[in-house]
Each structure stands twice: as structure tokens, then as C-alpha cells.
């Protein structure tokens, strides 16, 4: 089932999400719905708070990035088919040079800004079978993970841009909360009552 994506301004996007156990109600169904919702919205990642659930769960599929002609064949191969579920994730380390990349977010449609993040991460998480992993990622995969991880920490990519840029997009963000934006996927807007 395709779930509505929660728009900027909803308090759930600012909550630090909580850990879950394998006994979490309907976890398989939640995961299936989240994958379907993400693909329907052409996303490369989706965190549970973005569909209204303040739990430490996010999905990543970097395959769409693999078609970028500027990538080396090695990078494209790494991104193609990188699809993972992250439950109760914890970033243990962030290393390397900070680099900028133009980021967007399904909860903040039609807004894109350059965000600086570190090159490499070490992350501990549980997969969809609640098996624990500790892995190291770099480049675009690390970035997508960092972006989704921020969601379960109650942080948005717009928090990481300069105060000048924040002022420049303030009106756009306010309009998104009010539902004054064009999107081709289901959304739930905090300042719109009863409209889906």
C-alpha cells in the first residue's frame, strides 16, 4: 500500500525516533509499504518518520544514481542494485573530507540545496531479519544513508545549509507545509486538514 509522505512542518519529522524489536507489530507490512511508497515517489531512500512513524527504520536503494554518466564504471556498478533496510541504525564514525552534493527530500518537494557531508561512515544496524551488521560505506551510498539517518534523528537536510540559504527558501518551506506545492505522489500536509 502506498502511504502518504509527511510534508515539511509535521512534528513527526522533528522527533528522535525510537528503537524497535522484531516483535514490532506488522513490521513486514510496514517494510513492504515503505518500499512501495518510495518507488512510487521515485525516491532513493525513505525513513519511517517520513510516513508518520517515529521508529528507527529506513530504506535505501541507490540504483537510480547508477545511471549518472559522470560516474566511473566502478561507482556505477557499486550504486546499481544497492538496496538495504536499516533498523535501529547507529552511525559509529564519520570520516574523510566534507564534500557538497545537491540533495532533495520527498518530505520537502521541489527544494534542492548543496549539503556538505563527510565522505565515509561506519554504521551498525539490523537488517529486515533483525540480524546485526557493522559496515563501512563511502561516496554517494554513504551520503544517502547519512540523509536517511538524519531523519531518524529528527534532522532535515535544510538544517545543514547556511542561514542565508535558509532565509531564501523560508517561503517555499512554508508553502510546502500548507500544501501549496506540486507533487505526483501522495502527501500529508501539516497545515491542511482532511486533504490527502
Amino acid at each position: 500500500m502506498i502511504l502518504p509522505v509527511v510534508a515539511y512542518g509535521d512534528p513527526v519529522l522533528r522527533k528522535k525516533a525510537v528503537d524497535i524489536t522484531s516483535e514490532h507489530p506488522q513490521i513486514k507490512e510496514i517494510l513492504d509499504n515503505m518500499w512501495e511508497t518510495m518507488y512510487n515517489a521515485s525516491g532513493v531512500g525513505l525513513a519511517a518518520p517520513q510516513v508518520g512513524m517515529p521508529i528507527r527504520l529506513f530504506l535505501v536503494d541507490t540504483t537510480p544514481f547508477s545511471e549518472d554518466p559522470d560516474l566511473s564504471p566502478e561507482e556505477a556498478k557499486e550504486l546499481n542494485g544497492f538496496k538495504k533496510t536499516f533498523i535501529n541504525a547507529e552511525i559509529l564514525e564519520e570520516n574523510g573530507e566534507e564534500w557538497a552534493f545537491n540533495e532533495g527530500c520527498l518530505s520537502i518537494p521541489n527544494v534542492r540545496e548543496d549539503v556538505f557531508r563527510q565522505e565515509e561512515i561506519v554504521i551498525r544496524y539490523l537488517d529486515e531479519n533483525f540480524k546485526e551488521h557493522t559496515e563501512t560505506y563511502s561516496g554517494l551510498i554513504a551520503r544517502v544513508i547519512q540523509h536517511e539517518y538524519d531523519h531518524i534523528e529528527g534532522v532535515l537536510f535544510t538544517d545543514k545549509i547556511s542561514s542565508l540559504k535558509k532565509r531564501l527558501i523560508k517561503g517555499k518551506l512554508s508553502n510546502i507545509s500548507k500544501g501549496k506545492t506540486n507533487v505526483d505522489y501522495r502527501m500529508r500536509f501539516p497545515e491542511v486538514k482532511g486533504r490527502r
Side-chain angles (χ1 to χ4, degrees):
M1 184 174 76
I2 293 168
L3 307 169
V5 174
V6 172
Y8 181 89
D10 192 300
V12 74
L13 294 174
R14 292 304 187 179
K15 282 192 178 122
K16 192 171 159 95
V18 295
D19 281 354
I20 59 170
T21 68
S22 56
E23 269 74 67
H24 191 81
Q26 297 161 316
I27 185 65
K28 183 174 180 337
E29 190 183 333
I30 289 169
L31 286 168
D32 289 347
N33 291 345
M34 282 180 64
W35 283 115
E36 193 178 346
T37 301
M38 183 183 92
Y39 290 131
N40 176 66
S42 304
V44 292
L46 184 70
Q50 291 182 275
V51 288
M53 292 179 278
I55 56 175
R56 293 184 79 80
L57 162 63
F58 62 87
L59 320 170
V60 167
D61 184 347
T62 59
T63 304
F65 282 139
S66 68
E67 288 146 27
D68 184 334
D70 295 338
L71 294 173
S72 71
E74 296 78 39
E75 286 172 313
K77 187 169 180 251
E78 191 181 27
L79 292 162
N80 190 22
F82 181 86
K83 178 180 170 178
K84 275 189 191 292
T85 298
F86 293 82
I87 297 171
N88 301 347
E90 187 186 355
I91 290 182
L92 305 174
E93 288 177 44
E94 291 184 291
N95 302 306
E97 291 289 313
E98 286 206 336
W99 61 292
F101 187 80
N102 198 254
E103 292 189 21
C105 178
L106 296 179
S107 294
I108 313 175
N110 308 313
V111 173
R112 298 192 68 85
E113 292 292 340
D114 282 350
V115 177
F116 282 86
R117 296 186 188 272
Q118 282 177 276
E119 171 72 23
E120 185 184 89
I121 58 163
V122 179
I123 188 166
R124 183 170 57 224
Y125 68 97
L126 304 174
D127 63 22
E128 62 276 15
N129 302 310
F130 286 81
K131 185 170 175 293
E132 187 176 299
H133 304 266
T134 301
E135 293 165 349
T136 302
Y137 296 107
S138 61
L140 271 176
I141 289 175
R143 176 170 295 267
V144 175
I145 293 169
Q146 286 163 314
H147 178 109
E148 297 311 324
Y149 181 83
D150 279 350
H151 276 299
I152 62 171
E153 292 288 312
V155 175
L156 299 171
F157 85 91
T158 48
D159 299 338
K160 297 184 174 286
I161 61 177
S162 71
S163 50
L164 171 65
K165 289 240 175 87
K166 280 182 192 152
R167 283 200 299 276
L168 292 173
I169 63 169
K170 195 176 176 189
K172 271 188 186 173
L173 296 178
S174 172
N175 282 339
I176 289 167
S177 297
K178 295 173 185 148
K180 295 179 183 170
T181 184
N182 284 329
V183 280
D184 56 4
Y185 50 90
R186 282 182 73 199
M187 286 197 82
R188 189 177 89 208
F189 302 99
E191 294 180 37
V192 178
K193 296 287 172 256
R195 199 176 110 209
R196 293 270 173 204

